Amino acid sequence: MTNAPDSENERVFAALPRYDNDAMTRLRAVLASKAQQEGILDVAYRTVDTPVGSLLLAATEQGLVKIAYAVQDHTAVLQQLSDTISPRVLLAPARLDEAARQIDEYFAGRRTRFDLPLDWRLSRGFRREVLSHLPQIGYGSTQSYAQVALASGSPRAVRAVGTACATNPLPLIVPCHRVVRSDGTAGQYVGGKDAKNILLTLEAAA
């Protein structure tokens, strides 16, 4: 009798249709499209492979809301998005096609500025002020944390600038990698020191 539940489960699973990877991809696309049409796709996400590892991209209808490095744990990031924005989070690559294209162009050396709608809801207050300044740091250029603090209107808030960069929900697009220490060394980065050095080297070589 103890084997009966397992046998029953085996019969149930054996009766389920089997899908190959292509079929599952098509099914996910249909579900994502239907969710979009019905207005219930609150957060769409996808991943892209880059020279700095796999990046998770997530977007609301307002724009790109999150970029996360693999070291940040993509599963944990998706859970955070579910908790802070909406539980209706779905793998729906189409909404992020343009973001993925521009990121590919950046790493190929064909793009120096991003032109994407952004959803800033994950950053507020002074942190938002800091992040709003960062796109003004030109491609291939850097500023110190002290310079960014001054430009953001609070010259003594150097530590707060560091915190804003460390919690930047949109790294790469909002280029906190261009903020370095006063002695010119790279300093910390949300994607790790290696990723920051790769980005700075890429831009310096242009």
Side-chain angles (χ1 to χ4, degrees), residues 4-206:
D6 289 338
S7 298
E8 180 62 25
N9 286 340
E10 290 172 2
R11 287 195 294 272
V12 170
F13 283 113
L16 293 175
R18 294 292 185 263
Y19 297 101
D20 59 25
N21 289 337
D22 289 342
M24 289 301 297
T25 298
R26 291 193 296 271
L27 178 59
R28 290 192 188 100
V30 169
L31 291 173
S33 176
K34 187 172 181 60
Q36 178 74 34
Q37 292 171 5
E38 295 182 359
I40 58 173
L41 179 53
D42 292 338
V43 182
Y45 75 91
R46 67 177 292 175
T47 58
V48 294
D49 292 326
T50 76
V52 291
S54 176
L55 296 179
L56 173 74
L57 313 180
T60 65
E61 289 189 344
Q62 286 71 46
L64 194 64
V65 73
K66 184 72 177 179
I67 295 178
Y69 286 87
V71 296
Q72 295 174 270
D73 186 348
H74 290 173
T75 300
V77 171
L78 290 172
Q79 184 59 56
Q80 291 166 1
L81 292 173
S82 176
D83 293 341
T84 58
I85 297 179
S86 169
R88 295 188 294 198
V89 179
L90 185 64
L91 177 63
R95 183 183 284 180
L96 293 140
D97 280 349
E98 179 61 18
R101 183 182 69 81
Q102 292 193 24
I103 289 172
D104 284 345
E105 290 175 349
Y106 169 83
F107 282 108
R110 300 194 305 272
R111 176 173 291 274
T112 60
R113 292 183 64 86
F114 293 98
D115 182 19
L116 296 166
L118 303 179
D119 183 337
W120 288 97
R121 75 179 72 190
L122 297 180
S123 183
R124 298 180 178 84
F126 182 68
R127 293 181 185 181
R128 169 72 180 277
E129 291 294 324
V130 170
L131 298 182
S132 295
H133 167 73
L134 300 188
Q136 299 175 37
I137 306 174
Y139 182 95
S141 300
T142 60
Q143 287 186 2
S144 69
Y145 292 97
Q147 288 174 313
V148 173
L150 179 61
S152 301
S154 299
R156 300 178 64 180
V158 176
R159 189 181 298 273
V161 169
T163 300
C165 291
T167 58
N168 178 8
L170 294 164
L172 186 61
I173 303 297
V174 178
C176 56
H177 62 275
R178 296 176 191 160
V179 184
V180 299
R181 292 172 174 164
S182 296
D183 63 4
T185 56
Q188 300 297 319
Y189 184 56
V190 64
K193 290 183 178 181
D194 287 346
K196 187 170 188 175
N197 287 328
I198 290 171
L199 298 177
L200 292 174
T201 301
L202 170 69
E203 295 186 4

